[in-house]
Amino acid sequence: MDETTGRGWNNTTYRHEFARVRAIAAGIADDEAIAKARAEGRNDPEPICCIAPCKSLADKHDQDLRDTAVTWLARAGATLPEIAAITGHSLGSIHTIMKHYLAISPELGDAGIEKLIAWMAREGIKVA
């Protein structure tokens, strides 16, 4: 939803706004912000965020952000249905994304064993 209009995004406005946000994040000058600052008598627009620009974002697409969200949600312990509900991906797409981007690590194995032990304790199964 576009907070400025209260209406849903259409393809054109979404692409335009995503490109604008991506440019700002990459440190590329935002003509709208510069024009607003000049109209207010300032030479430079106010910083939009407190982190340094990331030039590598200049060629990223919204799909890249969705894939990153899937990976981060999985690392945070979200279930596949929870991830699907948040990102709109199918369960099959989530599996494919995780296969490509989620590195299998000892920490993930440890977390899985901790969940197994906690489940066994809740079920009354003796854990040695």
Side-chain angles (χ1 to χ4, degrees):
M1 168 137 348
D2 182 342
E3 294 87 4
T4 60
T5 65
R7 294 188 307 255
W9 293 94
N10 66 38
N11 286 339
T12 302
T13 56
Y14 176 80
R15 278 195 311 270
H16 170 75
E17 192 60 23
F18 182 82
R20 189 167 99 71
V21 170
R22 179 183 55 210
I24 293 166
I28 299 168
D30 176 11
D31 293 336
E32 290 177 35
I34 292 169
K36 181 180 176 188
R38 289 192 179 140
E40 294 172 354
R42 294 182 286 119
N43 289 329
D44 295 313
E46 295 177 22
I48 293 177
C49 62
C50 58
I51 61 172
C54 182
K55 301 287 185 195
S56 65
L57 291 176
D59 63 347
K60 297 297 181 190
H61 303 280
D62 62 340
Q63 186 62 41
D64 299 318
L65 299 176
R66 290 180 71 220
D67 291 352
T68 299
V70 167
T71 305
W72 287 7
L73 286 162
R75 296 291 306 237
T79 65
L80 295 182
E82 290 169 339
I83 295 170
I86 293 167
T87 66
H89 285 95
S90 69
L91 295 178
S93 292
I94 293 169
H95 279 286
T96 300
I97 292 165
M98 290 173 55
K99 183 173 78 174
H100 289 286
Y101 298 112
L102 185 65
I104 303 303
S105 67
E107 292 81 16
L108 284 176
D110 291 344
I113 293 298
E114 288 174 11
K115 289 176 183 177
L116 175 62
I117 292 169
W119 174 81
M120 292 173 74
R122 284 192 308 272
E123 295 295 317
I125 301 169
K126 185 171 174 117
V127 179

